[in-house]
Amino acid sequence: MDKPYLKQFPNELGFFGKFGGSFVPDSIKQAMNEINTAYNLIAQNSDFIAELRKIRKHFQGRPTPIYFAHNLTRKYGGAGIYLKREDLNHTGAHKLNHCMGEALLAKFMGKKRLIAETGAGQHGVAIATAAAYFGLECEIHMGEVDIKKEYPNVVRMKILGAKVIPVTFGAKTLKEAVDSAFESYLKDTKYSMYAIGSVVGPHPFPRMVRDFQAIIGIESREQFLEMTEELPDIVCACVGGGSNAMGIFSGFLEEAVELIGIEPLGKGSALGENAASLSYGSEGVMHGFNSIMLKDKEEQPAPVYSVASGLDYPSVGPEHAYLHSIGRTKVAAINDKEAIEAFFTLSKNEGIIPAIESSHAVAYALKIAPELKGKKILVNLSGRGDKDIDFVVEKFGYGE
């Protein structure tokens, strides 16, 4: 009998088919190998697993519930719309699922400091929270554009004791934050660990972050069966790097469930107007891994854009590239206007203010629901919108 998918992929070198791997300079290769060895060791350790379970239950507040969006379902008159409430996870998003795991690994390895990048600030807040919990130093790199846009999260990071490093070069957004964080990490791999914020980067991070985020899929599958006595017909989630999507997809990969990643179409399909890597990109290596990425004429990472700071990344997790290439997952794209409309629709009809990132997945569900009567759609509501409200009101008013 074949092994389950999650046991087969990635292979020992970190590849999902031709995607993934570890394309890093020798100066960082040893550090990546050290992290991989330590992770393989603790992933089998019952004490580590028990500690993580305790943290999830008593600190994070897991399991997060699935909610049947009765008002939206009635309003759109088609498929039943269900929300996996990761916005109720401590710190307001799914990011803490892997941050607590990465910090626990860093502690096990004897590291003193966590280094991270952040776009929307959700990963930054989560890693700052994990650092405070485990008594570690914390340094977070964030683009100047995103610092202004997501200022409430910047304040939270600083209150939690993190040092926030503004990134002032290039587009001053997520890609540059990753570049800056890597530079800092290279200066001190002995006492620091780079806690990558998604299912991207060199091996073992795409696997490791997926494994920590798989709790979303495990819970969702059990909860949906308990609620409805069947599985959802469609599971959808927004995809930037893709950690929340890979987390929920993990629970349904072996099932006859349609899995759809929702990319940010931004202002349109032209290069520089969106961050829809799988929709418009091609194969390329960036930040130490081979995947599908948006490129300019010089074959370099192209400028990208999205109203959602957590989605404006010019590549995508290698596992998403692989699953899409074999036809196991589908991809759709939602533009800024549709995402903001969904932000207000969910807020005003269900009393739930979503993150703009998550609003992309909500928008897609609202778009397809009317044509799917009798079907059930499960949306991963990956984060709450507290961080976005100042920006949204300034740019779009109150959605009236």
Side-chain angles (χ1 to χ4, degrees), residues 384-399:
R384 67 176 180 239
D386 303 30
K387 67 185 180 62
D388 297 314
I389 55 175
D390 292 346
F391 168 77
V392 168
V393 169
E394 183 185 330
K395 295 288 183 184
F396 308 102
Y398 291 91

Side-chain angles (χ1 to χ4, degrees), residues 38-361:
Y39 178 66
N40 285 333
L41 188 62
I42 64 165
Q44 303 166 52
N45 185 322
S46 60
D47 292 340
F48 175 83
I49 294 164
E51 177 70 9
L52 203 53
R53 281 181 172 164
K54 186 180 85 171
I55 288 167
R56 284 171 174 167
K57 182 177 180 180
H58 298 290
F59 182 67
Q60 292 182 230
R62 303 204 69 89
T64 58
I66 284 179
Y67 168 69
F68 173 57
H70 56 284
N71 292 329
L72 288 184
T73 298
R74 193 181 305 117
K75 182 182 174 81
Y76 287 84
I81 299 170
Y82 293 77
L83 308 175
K84 176 59 171 167
R85 297 290 308 277
E86 286 300 290
D87 58 310
L88 295 178
N89 192 38
H90 179 44
T91 73
H94 69 291
K95 294 291 187 182
L96 198 62
N97 298 332
H98 69 257
C99 287
M100 294 305 287
E102 286 179 330
L104 187 54
L105 174 62
K107 195 81 172 175
F108 172 79
M109 294 173 70
K111 304 296 184 183
K112 306 294 183 192
R113 181 172 66 143
L114 294 172
I115 297 174
E117 84 295 330
T118 194
Q122 294 294 66
H123 175 61
V125 169
I127 208 69
T129 299
Y133 182 97
F134 287 106
L136 299 168
E137 294 174 33
C138 187
E139 178 183 297
I140 297 163
H141 297 248
M142 190 174 189
E144 266 192 343
V145 168
D146 295 332
I147 285 176
K148 188 180 290 185
K149 197 165 151 188
E150 307 285 5
Y151 191 68
N153 271 350
V154 178
V155 173
R156 291 167 80 195
M157 285 183 260
K158 290 180 177 179
I159 288 172
L160 289 161
K163 182 180 180 184
V164 179
I165 310 291
V167 179
T168 59
F169 58 88
K172 305 174 189 176
T173 57
L174 184 54
K175 178 195 169 290
E176 290 75 25
V178 176
D179 294 337
S180 179
F182 258 119
E183 279 179 30
S184 179
Y185 176 54
L186 278 169
K187 294 172 187 170
D188 177 27
T189 58
K190 185 175 182 181
Y191 294 107
S192 299
M193 186 171 113
Y194 185 9
I196 290 177
S198 192
V199 285
V200 297
H203 180 60
F205 282 96
R207 173 199 165 197
M208 197 162 75
V209 173
R210 176 202 70 189
D211 289 354
F212 288 136
Q213 288 294 346
I215 188 62
I216 305 172
I218 292 166
E219 288 178 5
S220 295
R221 188 181 183 282
E222 290 175 0
Q223 291 168 326
F224 212 89
L225 281 170
E226 186 182 337
M227 287 177 80
T228 70
E229 298 186 337
E230 59 185 12
L231 294 173
D233 297 285
I234 294 169
V235 173
C236 65
C238 64
V239 175
S243 58
N244 91 90
M246 208 56 246
I248 198 164
F249 289 175
S250 294
F252 300 95
L253 284 167
E254 310 280 350
E255 309 287 356
V257 174
E258 200 171 345
L259 306 176
I260 306 176
I262 315 304
E263 296 195 303
L265 187 58
K267 297 172 184 172
S269 58
L271 196 66
E273 290 186 344
N274 65 76
S277 311
L278 289 171
S279 300
Y280 300 108
S282 57
E283 189 176 347
V285 174
M286 185 180 84
H287 291 153
F289 66 103
N290 183 48
S291 188
I292 300 296
M293 60 186 269
L294 293 163
K295 302 178 193 172
D296 60 20
K297 289 176 183 174
E298 280 74 45
E299 293 289 298
Q300 295 302 306
V304 291
Y305 162 80
S306 169
V307 71
S309 295
L311 300 181
D312 60 353
Y313 187 64
S315 189
V316 67
E319 190 163 12
H320 283 294
Y322 172 69
L323 290 169
H324 185 243
S325 74
I326 63 170
R328 180 60 191 93
T329 59
K330 294 180 180 177
V331 172
I334 287 291
N335 64 34
D336 285 0
K337 183 173 180 291
E338 293 168 319
I340 295 300
E341 283 175 1
F343 173 93
F344 286 116
T345 299
L346 181 58
S347 299
K348 294 175 189 297
N349 288 276
E350 297 287 357
I352 299 168
I353 302 174
I356 299 177
E357 290 76 16
S358 316
S359 299
H360 284 71

